[in-house]
Amino acid sequence: MTQAFAPLKRHRLSDQVSTEIQARIASGDLRSGDKLPPEREMAESFGVSRGAVREALRSLERTGLVALQAGAQGGAFIGEGNPELIGDSFRNLYQLGSVSLDELTEARLWLETTVTRIACARATDQDIAALTANVDEAERLLLAKRYNDKIDVHIEFHRLLGRATHNAVMVMLMDALMQVMRDFAHSAGGERNDLTIRARRRFLAKLGARDADGAVTAMTEHLESLQVRYRDRMKTGARR
């Protein structure tokens, strides 16, 4: 006997509206900065309530595909996307235990190795100056014993390095990974030594010389040493 078909699920009207808008974006009919028609007009066009349109727009706003602006000149505009959502996903996976610290640091090592090689070829004088200023700031915070503030500056170093690739995808991946690492670094607490600062000076010397192999070695040695220090501090914290 033939098995009966399962009932078809009815999609919410707001989901259908959202899907249609996304399809128009994907086809190129709608581009970043374009203003969408007023809710009333869209509701009439789609044959749905204004509430369904409003719910769809709010859903798209959370993804960064739509920006909602108030005021006389406001309305719903096609946005530029929200790269932070990648970082939120990474953070959720780590916090839920789906991603281990070892997996995180391993992926970080692979990514930063690639980023370092690209940066050695593409970094501008301004990029290197920004990285150098970052290390100077971290050293100032260390001397001021502002250890937790130093964490954010250290994290920013990697974001600046990602930007030195001048590749939007690499920038987004580095930013996303650093969101997770920032949370972890703050939970572990700021280091009260200059090991990272000295490692950064060695790295910058290689980067400035466009020595990709040397820069990768310097970065790899630093990250592997940092991983060991993180593990030791986690064990110490667990014993307490």
Side-chain angles (χ1 to χ4, degrees):
M1 182 176 178
T2 304
Q3 185 176 359
F5 289 106
L8 293 174
K9 294 182 179 179
R10 295 187 63 184
H11 295 287
R12 292 187 305 172
L13 291 175
S14 62
D15 290 341
Q16 295 180 48
V17 172
S18 175
T19 298
E20 179 62 24
I21 293 174
Q22 290 181 71
R24 295 283 298 277
I25 294 172
S27 69
D29 289 341
L30 291 172
R31 298 182 179 277
S32 179
D34 287 350
K35 186 175 183 179
L36 292 171
E39 287 181 5
R40 177 181 53 78
E41 290 184 22
M42 284 197 287
E44 292 176 357
S45 297
F46 285 119
V48 300
S49 68
R50 291 182 65 176
V53 171
R54 190 176 302 116
E55 185 177 351
L57 293 176
R58 286 174 178 168
S59 175
L60 291 171
E61 183 184 32
R62 288 192 290 271
T63 68
L65 289 177
V66 166
L68 300 179
Q69 299 178 17
Q73 302 300 317
F77 297 83
I78 301 302
E80 299 179 350
N82 185 3
E84 290 185 3
L85 292 175
I86 303 174
D88 290 340
S89 297
F90 282 3
R91 181 188 291 113
N92 291 339
L93 289 171
Y94 176 68
Q95 291 177 343
L96 291 170
S98 300
V99 174
S100 69
L101 176 60
D102 284 343
E103 289 173 319
L104 192 63
T105 52
E106 185 177 49
R108 179 186 181 184
L109 184 58
W110 292 338
L111 177 62
E112 298 226 36
T113 294
T114 301
V115 164
T116 294
R117 289 194 179 280
I118 299 172
C120 276
R122 298 184 181 179
T124 64
D125 291 342
Q126 290 82 2
D127 291 328
I128 295 175
L131 288 162
T132 301
N134 174 278
V135 178
D136 292 341
E137 174 65 6
E139 189 166 38
R140 185 186 70 79
L141 293 172
L142 174 64
L143 293 174
K145 298 183 179 181
R146 293 169 57 185
Y147 306 119
N148 285 330
D149 291 336
K150 180 167 62 70
I151 291 174
D152 292 330
V153 174
H154 280 332
I155 292 296
E156 183 63 18
F157 180 91
H158 296 280
R159 287 179 167 150
L160 290 170
L161 183 61
R163 285 164 175 72
T165 66
H166 298 276
N167 179 289
V169 175
M170 285 305 206
V171 171
M172 285 188 288
L173 288 174
M174 185 66 86
D175 283 355
L177 191 57
M178 286 304 107
Q179 283 187 50
V180 186
M181 294 309 304
R182 179 187 180 278
D183 291 346
F184 177 79
H186 272 287
S187 67
E191 291 191 308
R192 304 190 177 197
N193 56 57
D194 65 346
L195 293 176
T196 295
I197 293 169
R198 285 190 282 128
R200 295 275 162 79
R201 300 286 189 200
R202 292 192 294 271
F203 172 81
L204 285 175
K206 300 296 183 181
L207 181 67
R210 309 294 175 173
D211 178 359
D213 289 339
V216 167
T217 296
M219 178 62 75
T220 300
E221 289 177 349
H222 165 62
L223 292 179
E224 289 177 344
S225 173
L226 185 62
Q227 183 178 10
V228 171
R229 301 202 301 273
Y230 274 154
R231 282 177 177 164
D232 290 343
R233 285 153 69 190
M234 288 175 65
K235 290 177 181 178
T236 300
R239 286 196 296 269
R240 290 176 182 172

